[in-house]
Amino acid sequence: MASSVPGPIPLPESRYDLSSYWGRVRHCAEISDPSMLLTTNDDLAQARKVISAYRHGELKETTPEFWRAKKQLDSTVHPDTGETVLLPFRMSCCVLSNLVVTAGMLTPNLGTVGTMFWQWANQSLNVAVNSANANKSHPMSTSQLITNYTMAVTASCGVAVGLNKLVPRLKNLTANTRMILGRLVPFAAVVSAGIVNVFLMRGSEIRKGISVYDSNGDEVGKSKRAALFAVGETAFSRITNATPIMVIPPLILVRLQKTVLKGKSVAVQTAANLGVILVTSFIALPFALAVFPQYQSISVSKLEPELANKLDSNKKPIETVYFNRGI
């Protein structure tokens, strides 16, 4: 990210108003822009020069060149190390990297082995993306990573296989309803694994608390209640992020298979499936990612008693604090 370029002057977080939903949608559309995959090493070198000029006061205003440079670095470079993130694991490659895996999970009538394979593939991709973009100042140990990976795979495979066996037994439902429920099984599996992932990776935050800050950016203290709120909301965001990608395409495909795709070859149906997933992902992903702001505010009265009655640097009572929800 652009923040990896050192300098005394802080960078603006975004060109858009992140306090509004539409502003966050536009911001998320930028960081997931696949055209950034065409960024070359020369482009990155030039982008670093532009950002460095701004951070040292040589560039006085946020020009179009500045925003272009920031976008290139934000979508390509790790914020802690300043190194280029491996291409398949960048946010700008999110839709393309997940396309084949998502299509595999949403394939009808996979059977137990196929279901387990694609759920394993999905969780393997998630771990690779999380590792490539993780906070390097507090790296996860190998044992923690293995535990997280094992639990996520177990949760996703267990839910998927269990529901695949349960749905056909619901005899009181119509055949069409059972078919639709069967197509939504991967969604339930992905959401379950995502929630398990969040609480495993961030359990220490709930136990130890996270930093909360006043309006001046000064740390007020650490709060376990704020951590519970942050981790819980992040877990819920796994549902909002997965819903459009894992729910809309299979429902559209059910309709298409009864109309224009009826009697078509497997190759044609597979191509249609990939196309629907791709279009849905590009359109829906920014809207899903933008549901919750990353930086949240909360009243001090809702937090631990020891955080009450504190004063900021201007000797004014602190009534509201802010914290980073995380992703």
Side-chain angles (χ1 to χ4, degrees):
M1 296 182 74
S3 57
S4 64
V5 179
I9 299 175
L11 292 172
E13 189 176 359
S14 174
R15 75 170 82 189
Y16 305 113
D17 178 12
L18 298 184
S19 65
S20 71
Y21 177 63
W22 182 240
R24 294 196 298 274
V25 168
R26 298 177 72 184
H27 175 73
C28 291
E30 277 212 340
I31 63 175
S32 59
D33 181 0
S35 69
M36 290 296 98
L37 297 175
L38 302 176
T39 303
T40 66
N41 289 332
D42 289 341
D43 293 332
L44 291 178
Q46 178 60 31
R48 286 188 174 94
K49 290 180 181 178
V50 173
I51 297 301
S52 180
Y54 180 88
R55 299 208 66 174
H56 288 87
E58 299 167 16
L59 181 63
K60 304 298 183 182
E61 298 180 351
T62 54
T63 63
E65 184 186 16
F66 167 85
W67 288 118
R68 173 72 178 177
K70 187 175 185 301
K71 180 178 178 180
Q72 288 175 323
L73 292 175
D74 285 350
S75 63
T76 309
V77 172
H78 194 283
D80 295 334
T81 65
E83 297 177 356
T84 302
V85 176
L86 192 63
L87 189 146
F89 309 138
R90 299 175 194 171
M91 181 59 71
S92 52
C93 199
C94 178
V95 171
L96 299 178
S97 296
N98 281 279
L99 178 60
V100 174
V101 173
T102 303
M105 289 190 293
L106 295 179
T107 301
N109 306 315
L110 276 175
T112 300
V113 174
T115 297
M116 294 183 67
F117 171 79
W118 285 112
Q119 290 297 331
W120 165 80
N122 181 57
Q123 294 308 320
S124 297
L125 177 61
N126 288 343
V127 168
V129 171
N130 290 339
S131 298
N133 295 278
N135 187 319
K136 302 301 182 182
S137 59
H138 299 287
M140 184 177 292
S141 68
T142 302
S143 62
Q144 289 175 317
L145 187 62
I146 293 174
T147 299
N148 180 41
Y149 175 66
T150 303
M151 291 292 288
V153 171
T154 301
S156 61
C157 289
V159 170
V161 173
L163 289 179
N164 275 336
K165 293 182 179 298
L166 174 64
V167 170
R169 297 178 182 177
L170 302 175
K171 302 299 183 182
N172 58 323
L173 301 178
T174 65
N176 187 61
T177 301
R178 289 199 300 271
M179 179 180 67
I180 291 175
L181 288 176
R183 298 291 180 89
L184 296 181
V185 165
F187 166 68
V190 167
V191 167
S192 301
I195 293 174
V196 168
N197 242 318
V198 171
F199 281 96
L200 280 173
M201 292 183 70
R202 301 181 61 181
S204 61
E205 295 178 23
I206 297 175
R207 294 190 297 272
K208 299 176 182 178
I210 59 174
S211 297
V212 294
Y213 304 87
D214 63 19
S215 57
N216 299 318
D218 297 323
E219 184 173 349
V220 178
K222 295 191 183 296
S223 170
K224 295 179 182 179
R225 294 182 185 178
L228 184 61
F229 181 86
V231 176
E233 194 171 81
T234 300
F236 186 75
S237 74
R238 294 296 186 267
I239 301 175
T240 62
N241 293 347
T243 298
I245 313 303
M246 303 298 293
V247 172
I248 296 175
L251 295 182
I252 292 177
L253 197 63
V254 166
R255 171 61 83 180
L256 292 177
Q257 288 174 331
K258 293 179 179 179
T259 54
V260 296
L261 292 179
K262 189 174 183 179
K264 299 295 184 181
S265 66
V266 174
V268 171
Q269 295 199 35
T270 300
N273 193 21
L274 289 170
V276 170
I277 293 171
L278 184 64
V279 172
T280 303
S281 299
F282 277 128
I283 295 174
L285 186 62
F287 290 91
L289 292 174
V291 169
F292 298 111
Q294 185 169 345
Y295 292 94
Q296 302 271 16
S297 63
I298 190 170
S299 172
V300 172
S301 63
K302 296 181 179 179
L303 302 181
E304 290 82 351
E306 57 267 27
L307 295 175
N309 303 319
K310 291 199 172 186
L311 304 177
D312 63 16
S313 57
N314 298 318
K315 305 302 180 183
K316 294 181 179 179
I318 299 173
E319 298 179 352
T320 302
V321 292
Y322 305 84
F323 60 90
N324 180 4
R325 176 179 66 84
I327 56 175

